[in-house]
Amino acid sequence: MIIAPSLLASNFLDLRAECRMLNESEADWFHLDVMDGRFVPNISYGLPVIEHIRKATKKICDVHLMIEEPGKYAAAFRKAGADILTVHYEACPHLHRNIQQIKDLGMMAGVAINPHTPVQFLQEVLADIDLVLVMSVNPGFGGQKFIPNALNKIKTLREQIDEHGLNVKIEVDGGVDLGNARALYEAGAHALVAGSAVFHAPDPKAIISALKHIDKEN
Ligand code: DX5
Ligand code: ZN
């Protein structure tokens, strides 16, 4: 299982220590949430913060763009250090073009789908992308309650991916914790994003480790 802690729930006043903790942990990716106050009703952080985080880690920077017109900023996020760039299906009327742009820039291309968006809407681009980000909350805020229907979406998606032998990872984002991680693994998720569950825990590294080895749990 790939573990991608979301720094949205981290202590922004001490990002250096938070990055060090993640570097020492079993976390695989740094999940970086960018919000524009238009596509989602909240504003988080942007390019300068990601540039600094990039310098603080060798791990994969997994950038989740919750913004309109992501094509305008894809090159800037590449320059800031993104390895994976995920755009929202709902924000991209020219999704195929956005995907090609991300790949041409040398990043892995992800597409996120909101809770109301059927996985079938990705059918025509599934072979072109590296990652699907299944939102298990409505994007915009950390600390929300997990929406169980995400499990059905992950199952359907995993069947499609396996059926066609595609190399696409399924990442799930929102309300992920030790209580639902096992079910997410069984449904077919490859990567778990966790914000509050990691950063609000007394021992974040222990939670990361427990999530990482959720497949070995009986
Ligand atoms: C929500 C973000 C998430 C968020 C997850 O819009 O995309 O990555 O940080 O936070 P938790 O794990 O607290 O739900
Ligand atoms: Zn996210």
Side-chain angles (χ1 to χ4, degrees):
M1 187 63 92
I2 293 166
I3 306 302
S6 162
L7 280 100
L8 191 62
S10 70
N11 177 2
F12 290 165
L13 209 54
D14 207 355
L15 266 181
R16 191 192 298 272
E18 299 286 43
C19 290
R20 192 179 305 138
M21 181 278 290
L22 291 183
N23 286 337
E24 290 166 358
S25 78
E26 292 179 72
D28 300 277
W29 298 350
F30 280 38
H31 185 82
L32 303 170
D33 290 297
V34 178
M35 305 178 186
D36 65 355
R38 289 175 59 84
F39 176 65
V40 288
N42 195 11
I43 298 176
S44 57
Y45 52 78
L47 291 159
V49 172
I50 292 178
E51 270 172 40
H52 280 86
I53 293 173
R54 170 75 286 169
K55 290 181 200 142
T57 189
K58 293 191 173 69
K59 296 195 185 197
I60 287 181
C61 286
D62 167 33
V63 176
H64 176 193
L65 294 184
M66 286 161 273
I67 67 173
E68 289 179 0
E69 300 188 88
K72 278 190 182 172
Y73 307 98
F77 280 102
R78 176 56 174 158
K79 202 157 166 265
D83 299 297
I84 305 171
L85 199 65
T86 296
V87 297
H88 264 267
Y89 171 87
E90 301 83 7
C92 297
H94 305 288
L95 182 63
H96 184 272
R97 178 181 291 151
N98 294 110
I99 292 165
Q100 298 309 320
Q101 180 195 24
I102 294 167
K103 294 204 299 188
D104 289 347
L105 286 164
M107 294 177 281
M108 286 187 265
V111 178
I113 50 171
N114 277 341
H116 73 278
T117 301
V119 295
Q120 287 79 2
F121 285 9
L122 295 180
Q123 195 181 317
E124 310 304 333
V125 293
L126 204 52
D128 298 321
I129 62 182
D130 301 290
L131 179 138
V132 177
L133 182 58
V134 176
M135 293 306 302
S136 42
V137 298
N138 287 291
F141 305 92
Q144 301 183 82
K145 203 167 160 279
F146 179 80
I147 300 170
N149 187 50
L151 290 163
N152 299 320
K153 294 172 76 173
I154 291 165
K155 274 182 211 144
T156 307
L157 200 51
R158 183 63 186 260
E159 279 165 18
Q160 284 177 20
I161 289 168
D162 290 350
E163 190 187 328
H164 296 101
L166 301 174
N167 188 18
V168 182
K169 297 227 180 305
I170 302 172
E171 183 178 27
V172 54
D173 186 4
V176 173
D177 60 21
L178 281 175
N180 52 32
R182 176 78 194 186
L184 289 164
Y185 163 71
E186 281 168 1
H190 302 98
L192 302 177
V193 175
S196 317
V198 166
F199 288 98
H200 298 169
D203 187 352
K205 282 190 228 175
I207 301 291
I208 291 168
S209 183
L211 290 169
K212 178 83 190 160
H213 300 288
I214 203 79
D215 56 329
K216 290 166 202 108
E217 207 180 68
N218 294 314

